[in-house]
Amino acid sequence: MENSNAATRLRSGEVNCTRLEAVLYTLMRDDVPCGRLQQIVQDMKQSTDFEMSNGWLAEYAKDLAKQIAEPPQRHTMPQWVKNISSRFGE
């Protein structure tokens, strides 16, 4: 599979993308037909008011959108781990 993916990238070109683009790509590749996603985008471009009938789903969508928009968190080693590591010369 990895060789197949590498060959496809070689033929189609390597593309860098944003987090939103990566989400859209994954949706189109695995779950949502491209035409359906295009229709949703077109519908959204023609409207400024969006009515969401399910408040829980709307809040979840907002949460996911926020996670996509946030910069990735950089995890740092806690100070106590650094102290222990330095004692053992690591």
Side-chain angles (χ1 to χ4, degrees):
M1 173 76 106
E2 192 169 316
N3 286 339
S4 175
N5 287 342
T8 301
R9 272 194 304 277
L10 187 61
R11 285 192 309 272
S12 65
E14 292 208 23
V15 178
N16 293 324
C17 63
T18 65
R19 291 164 58 124
L20 175 58
E21 292 164 343
V23 168
L24 293 171
Y25 172 86
T26 303
L27 285 171
M28 289 185 289
R29 184 192 64 200
D30 297 342
D31 296 303
V32 180
C34 296
R36 178 64 186 128
L37 196 53
Q38 180 63 38
Q39 185 61 54
I40 292 168
V41 170
Q42 290 303 316
D43 292 347
M44 291 177 71
K45 287 170 58 175
Q46 296 174 8
S47 180
T48 56
D49 262 348
F50 303 102
E51 186 176 314
M52 299 184 182
S53 59
N54 182 327
W56 292 292
L57 187 58
E59 289 301 323
Y60 184 52
K62 285 181 179 184
D63 185 57
L64 290 176
K66 182 179 170 186
Q67 290 180 50
I68 292 169
E70 289 175 349
Q73 298 293 319
R74 298 199 186 267
H75 298 286
T76 59
M77 191 182 309
Q79 187 60 46
W80 66 270
V81 174
K82 290 178 186 177
N83 293 342
I84 292 172
S85 296
S86 66
R87 288 183 184 167
F88 293 102
E90 296 178 4

